[in-house]
């Protein structure tokens, strides 16, 4: 080294020994902790809260103002109330919610041009991939739970405000609601995986939202097709429509995972594995 | 004494599709140095920085950090590297502190470091404000704070003075010097401005069209330019002089009606030229030696693509 230069510090790193990389679970835990923090004050979080409440609010208003007409014949109001709300939520709102949620969560990094930063941190690409996926899955579950909680709460409230409809006299069909909750969640997983991979691949907000909206609309046009149950975007609709109110006024939903829900689960697994293999080796250019 | 390099690239090649970006780049960064990585925009600086971090996969060649292959030990090696690539990656909806905190959690660094690095870059008073309200200079400093979180041995900074005002540039320079001298950090800092690098770097690498055209210590680069000193001769009629003294003015170029430029050869040659010119009856208005600035050297290196790699 040249004499005119100030001497280099004696505290040079000892770089012969290579320390252990943190365990994959540790990496995932750290990534998840960071991802949860980044969720603060985001549209993704507000959307989750809002989407759970909107269909309940609509159904509540319908029953509050027109319930006496719907329940003219008397009997248990819960089946009709729950199925009205579920069909409002499950047919159109739920697929669009999943599309928006996934795009918004991935967009947190894209908007901050943070992919280059994220991948230059000492966590593997797998940890980044799984962490955000878990986040989307948790928010999706949160929105559904919020929806069900608010729905049952709104029914109870109607029991107080509109005692004539009989919400307070009949018991809540918890078993059926529980099954529908599980089945609806499973039904969203296929399209969630597709949207997740599309969002990660294009790293934009517009492309996944466009793809998602297009797919939801196209699915509606294809509802009569014999293979519609294999389209991930159709699954939430099929699940919501599978819940019926029988002539006797009983809420009916099969207490088993339906064929289209198995398909959704299978596409979830297949799309994620294929997507990860494509994304894993990719260069990070933004 | 030749130290083992802390960062080394061996025959690094990279291309985007069919478009070649880097050709056979062999960087060598010694521990405890500030390596100024210079080149015009589009020469391949950012691409090289991304390759060093494992963000891009080299077409051929390899990157070695701390003596280990980056391709095989990426996660482990990145534990000891802090980086700021182009514009800092900041989450505008989070406060300055939360931005630091996000990376702190990601790296599993001790909680007290957040306050320390914010203090170090002078943002402690503004840490509660959302990042979207930050000025360009503050964003750059916040990015640096995040890069310093894990107390890394190696700092990779891509154009860190982008968008800084003169005061900010001086502060950044001071900070880099302090990090090297007091904390023993090795720093690679890229820039397209030689003036910025020459004040802080100990070593310099110059890249042009994807090729490393110079690599060595700053004094080496300064020595390189002494061979390019220029004699400026002012007279009445440059063309006439050149015709009268074809041997002495062999390498001269006419820069103006009465101005000649010629490479400086020796003191004797200068004296002989002055004597011959007067003897030939030509007026001699001025004769001076011009040292090219580092900037000229840099421009020269990046123009002619000379093969000067040592």
């Amino acid at each position: 080294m040249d004499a005119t230069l100030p001497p280099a510090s004696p505290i040079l790193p000892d770089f012969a020994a290579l320390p252990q990389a943190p365990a994959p679970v540790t990496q995932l835990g750290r990534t998840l902790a960071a991802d949860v923090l980044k969720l603060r004050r985001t549209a993704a979080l507000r959307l989750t809260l809002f989407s759970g409440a909107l269909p309940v609010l609509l159904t509540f208003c319908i029953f509050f103002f027109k319930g006496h007409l719907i329940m003219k014949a008397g009997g248990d109001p819960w089946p009709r109330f729950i199925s009205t709300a579920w069909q409002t939520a499950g047919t159109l709102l739920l697929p669009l919610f999943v599309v928006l949620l996934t795009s918004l969560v991935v967009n947190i990094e894209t908007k901050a041009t943070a992919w280059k930063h994220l991948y230059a941190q000492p966590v593997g690409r797998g940890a980044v991939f799984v962490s955000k996926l878990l986040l989307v899955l948790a928010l999706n579950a949160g929105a559904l739970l919020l929806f069900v909680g608010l729905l049952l709460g709104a029914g109870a409230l109607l029991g107080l405000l509109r005692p004539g409809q009989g919400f307070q006299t009949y018991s809540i069909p918890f078993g059926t609601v529980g099954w529908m909750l599980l089945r609806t969640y499973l039904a969203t997983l296929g399209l969630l995986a597709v949207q997740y991979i599309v969002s990660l691949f294009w790293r934009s907000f517009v492309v996944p939202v466009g793809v998602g909206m297009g797919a939801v609309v196209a699915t509606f046009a294809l509802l009569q097709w014999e293979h519609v149950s294999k389209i991930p975007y159709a699954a939430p609709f099929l699940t919501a429509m599978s819940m019926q109110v029988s002539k006797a006024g009983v809420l009916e939903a099969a207490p088993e995972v339906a064929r289209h829900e198995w398909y959704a689960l299978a596409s979830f697994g297949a799309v994620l594995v294929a997507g990860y293999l494509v994304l894993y080796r990719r260069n990070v250019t933004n | 004494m030749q130290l083992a390099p802390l960062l080394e690239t061996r025959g690094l090649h990279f291309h985007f599709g069919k478009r070649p970006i880097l050709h056979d780049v062999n960087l060598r960064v010694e521990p405890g140095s500030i390596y100024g990585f210079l080149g015009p925009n589009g020469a391949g600086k950012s691409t090289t920085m991304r390759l060093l971090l494992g963000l891009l996969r080299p077409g051929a060649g390899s990157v070695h950090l701390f003596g280990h292959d980056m391709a095989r030990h990426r996660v482990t090696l990145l534990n000891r590297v802090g980086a700021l690539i182009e514009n800092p990656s900041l989450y505008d909806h989070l406060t300055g502190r939360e931005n630091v905190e996000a990376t702190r959690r990601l790296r599993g660094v001790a909680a007290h470091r957040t306050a320390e690095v914010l203090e170090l870059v002078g943002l402690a008073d503004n840490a509660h404000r959302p990042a979207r309200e930050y000025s360009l200079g503050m964003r750059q400093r916040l990015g640096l704070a995040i890069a310093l979180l894990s107390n890394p041995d190696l700092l990779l900074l891509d154009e860190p003075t982008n968008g800084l005002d003169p005061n900010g540039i001086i502060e950044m320079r001071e900070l880099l010097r302090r990090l090297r001298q007091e904390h023993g950090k090795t720093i690679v800092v890229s820039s397209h401005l030689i003036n910025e690098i020459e004040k802080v770097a100990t070593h310099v690498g110059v890249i042009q069209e994807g090729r490393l055209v110079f690599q060595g210590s700053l004094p080496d680069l300064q020595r390189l330019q002494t061979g390019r000193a220029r004699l400026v001769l002012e007279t009445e009629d440059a063309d006439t002089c050149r015709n009268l003294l074809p041997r002495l003015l062999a390498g001269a170029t006419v820069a103006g009606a009465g101005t000649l430029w010629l490479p400086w050869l020796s003191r004797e040659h200068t004296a002989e030229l002055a004597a011959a010119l007067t003897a030939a009856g030509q007026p001699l208005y001025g004769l001076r030696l011009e040292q090219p600035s580092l900037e000229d050297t840099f421009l020269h290196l990046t123009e002619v693509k000379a093969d000067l790699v040592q």
Side-chain angles (χ1 to χ4, degrees), chain A residues 1-22 26-43 107-128 131-132 279-286, chain B residues 1 3-6 14-16 30-33 50 53-58 65-68 73-81 83 85-95 98-99 101-103 105-109 132 146-147 153 180-186 201-203 217-219 223:
Chain A
M1 211 166 268
D2 198 279
T4 57
L5 295 173
S9 159
I11 337 164
L12 288 180
D14 151 45
F15 55 81
L18 190 69
Q20 284 282 304
T26 312
Q27 293 180 28
L28 179 61
R30 287 174 178 175
T31 316
L32 205 51
D35 277 341
V36 169
L37 172 64
K38 291 176 210 165
L39 210 55
R40 278 186 201 175
R41 296 186 289 275
T42 55
N107 194 239
I108 294 175
E109 303 295 342
T110 307
K111 206 174 117 208
T113 60
W115 291 107
K116 58 180 160 60
H117 173 70
L118 205 52
Y119 287 131
Q121 302 304 315
V123 290
R125 291 191 175 193
V128 174
S131 165
K132 291 201 186 300
L279 293 168
Y280 177 73
R281 290 193 60 81
R282 215 159 63 127
N283 284 329
V284 184
T285 51
N286 68 340
Chain B
M1 186 183 74
L3 291 162
L6 186 126
F14 185 78
H15 48 86
F16 266 124
E30 288 172 22
S33 62
R50 280 167 187 269
L53 287 165
L55 292 173
L56 303 175
R57 275 164 213 284
L65 291 182
F66 311 104
H68 300 281
H73 306 287
R74 199 179 67 90
V75 172
T76 311
L77 293 173
L78 284 178
N79 240 328
R80 301 167 66 176
V81 179
I85 298 298
E86 288 164 44
N87 48 334
S89 304
L90 299 181
Y91 305 97
D92 282 343
H93 62 285
L94 299 179
T95 65
E98 285 166 342
N99 265 287
E101 192 62 17
T103 302
R105 290 187 184 185
L106 194 62
R107 298 191 77 124
V109 171
R132 86 175 83 84
I146 292 170
D153 298 315
R180 170 176 175 264
Q181 280 169 9
E182 291 168 22
H183 304 276
K185 306 240 175 293
T186 306
T202 60
H203 293 70
S217 68
L218 196 65
R223 265 196 291 281

Side-chain angles (χ1 to χ4, degrees), chain A residues 28 32 35-36 39 44 48 94 97-98 101-103 105-106 128-146 181-182 184-196 264-265 267-269 272:
Chain A
L28 179 61
L32 205 51
D35 277 341
V36 169
L39 210 55
T48 304
L94 189 56
F97 162 73
V98 173
L101 176 71
T102 315
S103 310
V105 167
V106 175
V128 174
F129 182 85
V130 175
S131 165
K132 291 201 186 300
L133 178 65
L134 288 179
L135 200 65
V136 177
L137 287 173
L139 287 172
N140 186 21
L144 267 177
L145 285 171
L146 189 67
L181 185 61
L182 173 72
T184 306
Y185 187 67
L186 290 180
T188 58
L189 294 185
L191 84 113
L192 184 143
V194 176
Q195 288 299 130
Y196 186 56
L265 206 54
S267 18
F268 176 74
L272 286 180

